[in-house]
Amino acid sequence: MNLGGYATKQNVSDSLLKQGEISRNVPETRLYSKGTLKTMLDTYKMVYVKPNSGTGGNGVIRVERKENGYSFQLHTFVKKFPDFDSMAAALRKRIKKTPYVIQQGIHLLRHKGRLFDLRIMIQKNPSGVWETTGIIGRIGHPRKIVTNLCRGGSSKPVEVLLKEHGADIKRYQASLRSLGLRAARHLNKTFPRIKEVGLDIGLDPNLHPWILEANPRPKIRGFKTLKDQSIYRKMLRYQKYHGHA
């Protein structure tokens, strides 16, 4: 999440938390330390440990506190531990000296047993005005914890996913588009060079949207799968205008 070349997951989280309306949609995100990991696991039971400057779901680890110990998962690899110290030591060997953050774990909704989240694309048009240009669902590989297409995920129309979970689709999509615009405009104040943002939105069982990631050079190929190809063409046109395509 390197917005404009000088931001990290931690900086972006800190920026969004300062926007009162959006702060309730931002999971707690703190720089990695063993003590912070213990505190956040005690609070949330499940967290994601992520490279502070990583992209594409690379290096993301899910860590859980369970009744009989602890576990973590990286890609499809799962390891269990009897106590916190042994888990933290193994985790430290994995992440080495790379700066990581710990993010409050959100229990995502599922489609046919597979985790999914949403990608909201917000772009500046040639007039310099922010627009929400599209929303799509991303379904994770059945044995993985991330939904990125480059990690084995797949795209799905957001209407299909929302309908399964009883959402008022038109109203809910309107609220997501509004959330995307508010987030992009706010981030643009903190990071003036950005021209587009791909927000990864996780939905919890109450359909509350959480901003999991903000990507400044988002890939748009997932939108190619939509029936309405004008959505993809518009995104591509804006990306070309800004020199991102």
Side-chain angles (χ1 to χ4, degrees), residues 57 59-62 72-80 94 140-146 151-152:
V60 174
I61 304 168
R62 182 166 65 194
F72 69 64
Q73 179 175 350
L74 173 64
H75 305 307
T76 58
F77 173 78
V78 181
K79 190 160 178 59
K80 297 179 180 179
R94 287 271 171 188
H141 181 283
R143 291 183 292 114
K144 293 185 178 180
I145 56 172
V146 295
R151 301 285 163 197

Side-chain angles (χ1 to χ4, degrees), residues 136-224:
I136 199 165
R138 307 186 313 167
I139 304 169
H141 181 283
R143 291 183 292 114
K144 293 185 178 180
I145 56 172
V146 295
T147 61
N148 306 73
L149 301 189
C150 60
R151 301 285 163 197
S154 56
S155 300
K156 197 83 170 176
V158 66
E159 296 85 355
V160 174
L161 300 173
L162 292 177
K163 186 177 180 182
E164 287 179 355
H165 293 280
D168 179 331
I169 293 171
K170 281 193 175 179
R171 184 180 295 179
Y172 197 79
Q173 283 206 77
S175 71
L176 290 173
R177 297 176 81 86
S178 173
L179 175 63
L181 278 178
R182 283 181 280 128
R185 287 169 183 157
H186 179 74
L187 287 170
N188 199 190
K189 292 175 185 175
T190 311
F191 309 104
R193 285 161 45 188
I194 62 172
K195 307 295 184 188
E196 58 181 356
V197 181
L199 288 183
D200 296 342
I201 302 291
L203 305 181
D204 67 21
N206 297 315
L207 287 177
H208 182 76
W210 295 89
I211 299 173
L212 306 178
E213 296 273 350
N215 306 280
R217 290 289 185 93
K219 300 283 190 290
I220 62 173
R221 62 190 175 100
F223 289 90
K224 256 186 169 180

Side-chain angles (χ1 to χ4, degrees), residues 108-147:
L108 300 179
L109 295 181
R110 292 176 181 264
H111 170 74
K112 296 182 178 177
R114 295 163 64 180
L115 299 172
F116 75 83
D117 62 14
L118 309 179
R119 165 61 63 87
I120 305 179
M121 275 291 295
I122 315 98
Q123 298 172 285
K124 277 188 177 177
N125 64 25
S127 300
V129 178
W130 284 102
E131 288 183 27
T132 300
T133 47
I135 309 174
I136 199 165
R138 307 186 313 167
I139 304 169
H141 181 283
R143 291 183 292 114
K144 293 185 178 180
I145 56 172
V146 295
T147 61

